[in-house]
mmCIF file of all heavy atoms in Angstrom:
data_model
loop_
_atom_site.group_PDB
_atom_site.id
_atom_site.type_symbol
_atom_site.label_atom_id
_atom_site.label_comp_id
_atom_site.label_asym_id
_atom_site.label_seq_id
_atom_site.Cartn_x
_atom_site.Cartn_y
_atom_site.Cartn_z
ATOM 1 N N TYR A 37 -0.729 -1.380 -4.168
ATOM 2 C CA TYR A 37 -1.281 -1.928 -5.398
ATOM 3 C C TYR A 37 -2.344 -2.947 -5.000
ATOM 4 O O TYR A 37 -2.385 -3.407 -3.862
ATOM 5 C CB TYR A 37 -0.192 -2.618 -6.219
ATOM 6 C CG TYR A 37 0.714 -1.674 -6.960
ATOM 7 C CD1 TYR A 37 1.635 -0.881 -6.282
ATOM 8 C CD2 TYR A 37 0.674 -1.583 -8.350
ATOM 9 C CE1 TYR A 37 2.476 -0.019 -6.970
ATOM 10 C CE2 TYR A 37 1.513 -0.731 -9.043
ATOM 11 C CZ TYR A 37 2.410 0.051 -8.343
ATOM 12 O OH TYR A 37 3.230 0.900 -9.034
ATOM 13 N N ARG A 38 -3.174 -3.303 -5.945
ATOM 14 C CA ARG A 38 -4.155 -4.359 -5.689
ATOM 15 C C ARG A 38 -4.323 -5.231 -6.916
ATOM 16 O O ARG A 38 -4.093 -4.793 -8.046
ATOM 17 C CB ARG A 38 -5.497 -3.774 -5.254
ATOM 18 C CG ARG A 38 -6.261 -3.011 -6.338
ATOM 19 C CD ARG A 38 -7.514 -2.382 -5.759
ATOM 20 N NE ARG A 38 -8.275 -1.660 -6.780
ATOM 21 C CZ ARG A 38 -9.334 -0.912 -6.506
ATOM 22 N NH1 ARG A 38 -9.778 -0.798 -5.255
ATOM 23 N NH2 ARG A 38 -9.975 -0.295 -7.483
ATOM 24 N N GLN A 39 -4.735 -6.453 -6.653
ATOM 25 C CA GLN A 39 -4.982 -7.389 -7.741
ATOM 26 C C GLN A 39 -6.247 -8.173 -7.440
ATOM 27 O O GLN A 39 -6.306 -8.913 -6.450
ATOM 28 C CB GLN A 39 -3.805 -8.336 -7.933
ATOM 29 C CG GLN A 39 -3.947 -9.212 -9.165
ATOM 30 C CD GLN A 39 -2.640 -9.907 -9.526
ATOM 31 O OE1 GLN A 39 -1.732 -10.033 -8.713
ATOM 32 N NE2 GLN A 39 -2.529 -10.355 -10.762
ATOM 33 N N ALA A 40 -7.238 -7.971 -8.277
ATOM 34 C CA ALA A 40 -8.497 -8.695 -8.160
ATOM 35 C C ALA A 40 -8.410 -9.996 -8.960
ATOM 36 O O ALA A 40 -7.595 -10.099 -9.882
ATOM 37 C CB ALA A 40 -9.646 -7.834 -8.672
ATOM 38 N N PRO A 41 -9.221 -10.976 -8.638
ATOM 39 C CA PRO A 41 -9.185 -12.250 -9.371
ATOM 40 C C PRO A 41 -9.366 -12.043 -10.873
ATOM 41 O O PRO A 41 -10.288 -11.340 -11.310
ATOM 42 C CB PRO A 41 -10.355 -13.030 -8.777
ATOM 43 C CG PRO A 41 -10.530 -12.477 -7.415
ATOM 44 C CD PRO A 41 -10.200 -11.016 -7.536
ATOM 45 N N GLY A 42 -8.451 -12.596 -11.645
ATOM 46 C CA GLY A 42 -8.544 -12.510 -13.089
ATOM 47 C C GLY A 42 -8.114 -11.194 -13.686
ATOM 48 O O GLY A 42 -8.246 -10.993 -14.901
ATOM 49 N N LYS A 43 -7.597 -10.302 -12.850
ATOM 50 C CA LYS A 43 -7.178 -8.990 -13.340
ATOM 51 C C LYS A 43 -5.707 -8.753 -13.046
ATOM 52 O O LYS A 43 -5.108 -9.427 -12.216
ATOM 53 C CB LYS A 43 -8.032 -7.890 -12.705
ATOM 54 C CG LYS A 43 -9.498 -7.942 -13.097
ATOM 55 C CD LYS A 43 -10.240 -6.727 -12.590
ATOM 56 C CE LYS A 43 -11.701 -6.740 -13.051
ATOM 57 N NZ LYS A 43 -12.420 -5.523 -12.574
ATOM 58 N N GLU A 44 -5.143 -7.763 -13.727
ATOM 59 C CA GLU A 44 -3.753 -7.403 -13.504
ATOM 60 C C GLU A 44 -3.616 -6.548 -12.242
ATOM 61 O O GLU A 44 -4.560 -5.893 -11.813
ATOM 62 C CB GLU A 44 -3.208 -6.633 -14.711
ATOM 63 C CG GLU A 44 -3.123 -7.457 -15.980
ATOM 64 C CD GLU A 44 -2.447 -6.705 -17.110
ATOM 65 O OE1 GLU A 44 -2.187 -5.498 -16.943
ATOM 66 O OE2 GLU A 44 -2.195 -7.327 -18.166
ATOM 67 N N ARG A 45 -2.419 -6.592 -11.698
ATOM 68 C CA ARG A 45 -2.141 -5.751 -10.535
ATOM 69 C C ARG A 45 -2.169 -4.283 -10.967
ATOM 70 O O ARG A 45 -1.619 -3.918 -12.015
ATOM 71 C CB ARG A 45 -0.780 -6.102 -9.946
ATOM 72 C CG ARG A 45 -0.499 -5.471 -8.607
ATOM 73 C CD ARG A 45 0.800 -5.995 -8.004
ATOM 74 N NE ARG A 45 0.744 -7.419 -7.703
ATOM 75 C CZ ARG A 45 1.670 -8.051 -7.002
ATOM 76 N NH1 ARG A 45 2.709 -7.390 -6.508
ATOM 77 N NH2 ARG A 45 1.557 -9.354 -6.793
ATOM 78 N N GLU A 46 -2.801 -3.438 -10.142
ATOM 79 C CA GLU A 46 -2.924 -2.026 -10.486
ATOM 80 C C GLU A 46 -2.558 -1.156 -9.294
ATOM 81 O O GLU A 46 -2.734 -1.548 -8.138
ATOM 82 C CB GLU A 46 -4.360 -1.701 -10.930
ATOM 83 C CG GLU A 46 -5.413 -1.929 -9.860
ATOM 84 C CD GLU A 46 -6.812 -1.509 -10.302
ATOM 85 O OE1 GLU A 46 -6.975 -1.058 -11.455
ATOM 86 O OE2 GLU A 46 -7.735 -1.616 -9.474
ATOM 87 N N LEU A 47 -2.072 0.024 -9.604
ATOM 88 C CA LEU A 47 -1.736 0.980 -8.560
ATOM 89 C C LEU A 47 -3.005 1.518 -7.922
ATOM 90 O O LEU A 47 -3.952 1.892 -8.623
ATOM 91 C CB LEU A 47 -0.930 2.137 -9.140
ATOM 92 C CG LEU A 47 -0.643 3.294 -8.199
ATOM 93 C CD1 LEU A 47 0.325 2.869 -7.095
ATOM 94 C CD2 LEU A 47 -0.095 4.486 -8.966
#
Side-chain angles (χ1 to χ4, degrees):
Y37 283 71
R38 69 185 181 187
Q39 187 167 19
K43 295 188 177 181
E44 294 186 352
R45 190 173 296 190
E46 62 176 1
L47 173 68

